[in-house]
Amino acid sequence: MDRETPFRFEVTNSASELLSEHSDLSEGESSGVTVSVAGRLMLRRDQGKIVFGVLQDSTARIQLFASEKNTPDYEFFSNLHLGDWLGITGEVIKTKRGEISVRVDSWVRLAEAKRSFPDKWHGISDTDIRYRQRYVDLWVTEESREAFITRSKIVSLIRSWLEDRGFIEVETPVFHPIPGGAAARPFETHHNALDLDLYLRIAPELYLKRLVVGGFEKVFEMARVFRNEGISTRHNPEFTMLELYEAYADYEDIMRLVEEMVSELALEVCGSTKIEYDGRELDLSTPWERSSMLELLNQKIEKEVSLQTPIEELRKLCEDHSVPFEDHYGPGKLILELYEKTTEPELWGPIYVTDYPQEVSPLSRSHRSIPGMVERFEAIVAGRELCNAFSEVIDPDDQRMRFNAQEENRDAGDEEAMVVDEDYLRALEYGLPPTGGLGIGIDRLIMLLTDTQAIRDVILFPTLRPEQD
């Protein structure tokens, strides 16, 4: 026989609640309590006149006890598909083998699984199927489900942590008339009604700093950002960025904020500031190590270089270390490329790499004591960049000069270079107080705190190549 699928089902208890509330039942005892639960049928064992099933909801798994004597349409029930959604009403009992169960006194199939789920719910070994069919992966791969539950918890904790310190959350545009706020290739689109070319945002930075000009002294956004770049174990074209800005602060203040926030998250999520990542220990307790980019690079290549090093010598060093470069790269860009290819991947951290060349930091304020450098840092944890932050440029004339230099780079072939944003410059002319800013990759932070090596494992629906027939 077939049954009509209901439009709703009244659930009285979750599986985890029943397991907790009836843990003191004796073996073979009935509780006298009738409940209604719902979820997927995960396993089934047919023993003739009795069928044992396992029902899983979003909280836990609980056993079902169906008998030919008490269960309506028993034969139909005993032939349900694995993966079917069921609504079960019955008394809570504990079997003679000590298993808390719901006796199936009445039931309804809420949805039929017309595609077969795996017979044994061990997880999916084919990663391509896992990412394309996340709706199956979440049921059969417990580690995957737990990772995304942890992701939600981390994002919630970050919001609460920042709000407790006086930050307010805002939303800024996803469509930008001018790509800006980071060095990256944008995705382009078109608004038909306005006949206007627009860009999906690569960062919310310039809008958030407009809000600081407007009087929001501590502001943050959990921003979905889009960068037209390659895909790797640590890159997805669409990802989540936490950006925040704090008036009256500099990059030293932001360093303290980052290490305090991450260490407290580790303690809350992992139970300790000492965690393991990819088989190695990481100590996220404060304070984190600090070292300038030039110090680390010079130590690695065993040669002293600086912004004053002749450019031909820097190019020769790049060639010697198999670091590709373009003819228009200046000393600062060559030094950055050398550092990123030779030094950064070997840093385990956590470590703040500080003081970057102004040439590669168009939005960072000039260093107060080192000519040609800016007050910028990146936190490197487990050999990869976790965040980028700096004291912000507040002088509109200085910022215009930086934008103009970026346009020259764009004209020379750098597709990631910024363009002049006249409205942002106008905002700066109204006055931006000393401000510290931060961008931290939420996906990479979650990878770190869940010991995950591939970014696709912490993004529910990662960007994939078209499926092959």
Side-chain angles (χ1 to χ4, degrees):
M1 67 173 287
D2 199 1
R3 290 180 159 214
E4 183 180 350
T5 302
F7 282 86
R8 66 184 303 275
F9 182 80
E10 188 73 33
V11 176
T12 63
N13 300 85
S14 68
S16 63
E17 287 172 345
L18 296 180
L19 294 172
S20 173
E21 292 170 5
H22 298 279
S23 59
D24 58 352
L25 281 177
S26 301
E27 293 178 2
E29 183 182 359
S30 298
S31 68
V33 176
T34 297
V35 299
S36 293
V37 293
R40 277 197 194 270
L41 181 64
M42 304 295 282
L43 295 170
R44 188 185 62 244
R45 300 194 317 275
D46 190 340
Q47 297 186 359
K49 295 184 178 183
I50 294 176
V51 169
F52 292 98
V54 173
L55 187 81
Q56 180 170 322
D57 63 13
S58 62
T59 66
R61 294 184 176 189
I62 192 164
Q63 182 168 276
L64 303 177
F65 178 88
S67 68
E68 188 177 48
K69 177 181 178 182
N70 292 323
T71 302
D73 300 325
Y74 175 77
E75 184 176 350
F76 187 17
F77 184 89
S78 63
N79 286 284
L80 289 168
H81 304 148
L82 293 183
D84 281 355
W85 289 86
L86 304 178
I88 306 293
T89 298
E91 187 177 357
V92 181
I93 64 173
K94 181 175 279 190
T95 66
K96 293 179 180 179
R97 293 192 175 185
E99 190 79 22
I100 295 174
S101 308
V102 176
R103 192 178 65 210
V104 183
D105 296 334
S106 67
W107 66 277
V108 62
R109 183 161 64 180
L110 303 173
E112 180 183 359
K114 293 181 180 291
R115 288 180 179 262
S116 297
F117 274 75
D119 290 332
K120 297 183 184 294
W121 303 71
H122 292 315
I124 301 174
S125 58
D126 187 325
T127 55
D128 188 66
I129 294 177
R130 286 187 61 202
Y131 303 141
R132 293 188 191 280
Q133 299 181 28
R134 185 70 84 186
Y135 37 85
V136 178
D137 175 51
L138 292 171
W139 283 104
V140 304
T141 311
E142 184 175 354
E143 296 82 4
S144 179
R145 185 170 58 255
E146 288 300 321
F148 289 108
I149 292 171
T150 302
R151 179 187 178 110
S152 178
K153 180 179 180 180
I154 290 170
V155 171
S156 179
L157 287 169
I158 290 171
R159 283 192 164 101
S160 298
W161 194 91
L162 291 172
E163 289 167 353
D164 287 346
R165 285 153 183 80
F167 284 85
I168 64 169
E169 183 174 9
V170 298
E171 294 176 323
T172 62
V174 172
F175 291 138
H176 288 189
I178 297 172
R185 281 184 68 183
F187 287 95
E188 301 179 34
T189 188
H190 186 78
H191 189 282
N192 292 333
L194 295 177
D195 191 21
L196 178 67
D197 289 332
L198 294 167
Y199 304 88
L200 295 182
R201 67 179 171 196
I202 56 177
E205 175 167 343
L206 301 185
Y207 282 93
L208 290 172
K209 287 190 285 191
R210 286 173 169 93
L211 295 179
V212 180
V213 172
F216 285 11
E217 296 177 355
K218 290 184 174 184
V219 63
F220 78 96
E221 182 171 10
M222 285 285 185
R224 202 70 175 171
V225 296
F226 309 86
R227 298 184 182 179
N228 201 346
E229 59 188 17
I231 295 173
S232 73
T233 56
R234 61 180 77 173
H235 295 94
N236 191 71
E238 176 183 1
F239 61 100
T240 304
M241 178 78 73
L242 165 66
E243 288 221 8
L244 65 81
Y245 294 86
E246 181 177 356
Y248 321 125
D250 65 5
Y251 75 146
E252 291 281 355
D253 295 302
I254 303 301
M255 284 187 220
R256 287 189 287 273
L257 182 149
V258 171
E259 64 191 8
E260 289 172 7
M261 181 177 70
V262 174
S263 64
E264 289 188 31
L265 284 172
L267 192 60
E268 183 73 25
V269 174
C270 306
S272 173
T273 56
K274 290 185 178 179
I275 67 172
E276 186 174 286
Y277 186 79
D278 199 16
R280 292 182 61 182
E281 185 179 275
L282 266 171
D283 186 352
L284 299 175
S285 60
T286 61
W288 293 0
E289 183 183 353
R290 290 152 168 75
S291 187
S292 75
M293 188 183 71
L294 279 176
E295 290 171 345
L296 293 167
L297 174 62
N298 291 339
Q299 181 180 355
K300 174 62 181 177
I301 65 175
E302 298 181 338
K303 187 175 181 64
E304 292 290 322
V305 298
S306 69
L307 294 176
Q308 287 69 50
T309 302
I311 197 163
E312 290 304 325
E313 186 176 332
L314 292 174
R315 289 171 176 165
K316 179 65 166 56
L317 281 169
C318 286
E319 291 172 351
D320 292 344
H321 290 87
S322 301
V323 176
F325 61 89
E326 301 290 339
D327 291 341
H328 65 271
Y329 287 2
K333 178 65 170 173
L334 291 169
I335 286 172
L336 178 67
E337 292 296 314
L338 266 172
Y339 158 75
E340 288 187 338
K341 301 301 190 300
T342 66
T343 309
E344 182 179 283
E346 297 187 15
L347 298 175
W348 188 246
I351 181 173
Y352 289 130
V353 181
T354 66
D355 306 336
Y356 283 64
Q358 179 175 307
E359 178 187 344
V360 295
S361 310
L363 299 170
S364 307
R365 191 168 184 174
S366 297
H367 201 285
R368 67 194 76 184
S369 60
I370 309 175
M373 306 299 271
V374 296
E375 295 193 349
R376 171 185 170 190
F377 74 85
E378 290 185 358
I380 306 300
V381 186
R384 64 190 63 177
E385 174 195 341
L386 181 65
C387 70
N388 184 31
F390 33 85
S391 304
E392 304 292 336
V393 173
I394 65 172
D395 181 345
D397 296 328
D398 184 16
Q399 188 63 76
R400 181 177 292 278
M401 180 189 70
R402 309 281 195 91
F403 279 154
N404 288 338
Q406 285 286 296
E407 286 218 320
E408 291 177 7
N409 291 341
R410 178 174 283 272
D411 293 340
D414 186 353
E415 294 182 329
E416 295 186 348
M418 298 181 193
V419 296
V420 177
D421 187 331
E422 291 291 348
D423 181 70
Y424 178 66
L425 292 171
R426 179 171 58 190
L428 290 184
E429 289 171 353
Y430 281 95
L432 175 68
T435 298
L438 165 70
I440 182 167
I442 292 297
D443 309 286
R444 290 188 183 180
L445 177 59
I446 290 163
M447 289 171 65
L448 178 70
L449 295 178
T450 58
D451 192 13
T452 302
Q453 280 65 56
I455 195 170
R456 292 181 181 182
D457 289 325
V458 297
I459 295 177
L460 278 167
F461 299 103
T463 304
L464 302 170
R465 291 181 175 85
E467 192 168 4
Q468 300 299 314
D469 294 332

